[in-house]
Amino acid sequence: MADGRKLVPGLRELLEVLELPDWVAEHPKVHLLPHVRRACARADALLGLEVARVDADGALELVLRWRGRAGDVRAVRAAAFALVGEIAESASYVRQRREPPAADLDEPASGALLTFEVATGMLAPDTSFATHGHTLVLRVLDTGG
């Protein structure tokens, strides 16, 4: 058995900048949405963009339609991570949640909505510019089995 302590310093760096006022300094519809639209428009894209809006906290909220096999939660996760990869910067956090909650997030559930909370940005050691980043919420529809 082992632990993940060696990752704590990097996670702490991201956590510290997330708490800074105005860390999310760039308008997400200008800086992120074009990349998301392009990725979702590809012929082989498994996620289709339904709605894009910016919430009160400055997060880009995306409502996405799942085009793959119903109930395949692992494939939804892989597609969500691929989409995040289109806009990810040097430090990222992704958290999957299910609405309604489930004991096992990998099990298919009829009518489930998968949500991915994302923070990504450039931290001081990775850029000569001011540290900055983005927050997103991906809501994936039609993932039930």
Side-chain angles (χ1 to χ4, degrees):
M1 301 303 286
D3 61 44
R5 285 183 231 182
K6 67 182 179 183
L7 301 179
V8 170
L11 289 168
R12 191 168 287 128
E13 285 178 309
L14 184 57
L15 180 61
E16 288 172 2
V17 297
L18 281 168
E19 294 177 320
L20 293 174
D22 301 323
W23 183 70
V24 179
E26 299 175 321
H27 197 280
K29 280 192 170 181
V30 173
H31 294 277
L32 303 181
L33 192 54
H35 302 289
V36 170
R37 286 189 194 283
R38 192 169 34 256
C40 290
R42 291 187 192 122
D44 62 344
L46 292 174
L47 293 171
L49 182 61
E50 299 276 319
V51 176
R53 60 182 164 252
V54 178
D55 72 13
D57 295 322
L60 181 61
E61 185 174 319
L62 304 173
V63 178
L64 302 155
R65 175 77 53 194
W66 174 240
R67 297 176 179 156
R69 186 170 55 94
D72 192 347
V73 176
R74 289 176 184 267
V76 173
R77 183 183 310 121
F81 272 73
L83 184 58
V84 169
E86 295 287 335
I87 53 89
E89 294 188 315
S90 65
S92 298
Y93 160 85
V94 180
R95 176 70 162 102
Q96 175 190 324
R97 299 187 189 278
R98 181 186 279 181
E99 300 166 25
D104 185 343
L105 288 175
D106 287 339
E107 290 300 316
S110 183
L113 171 70
L114 291 181
T115 300
F116 297 86
E117 301 163 345
V118 180
T120 188
M122 298 296 287
L123 306 183
D126 305 329
T127 181
S128 58
F129 298 103
T131 184
H132 65 279
H134 309 282
T135 55
L136 300 92
V137 177
L138 287 62
R139 300 187 190 286
V140 183
L141 306 174
D142 288 346
T143 60

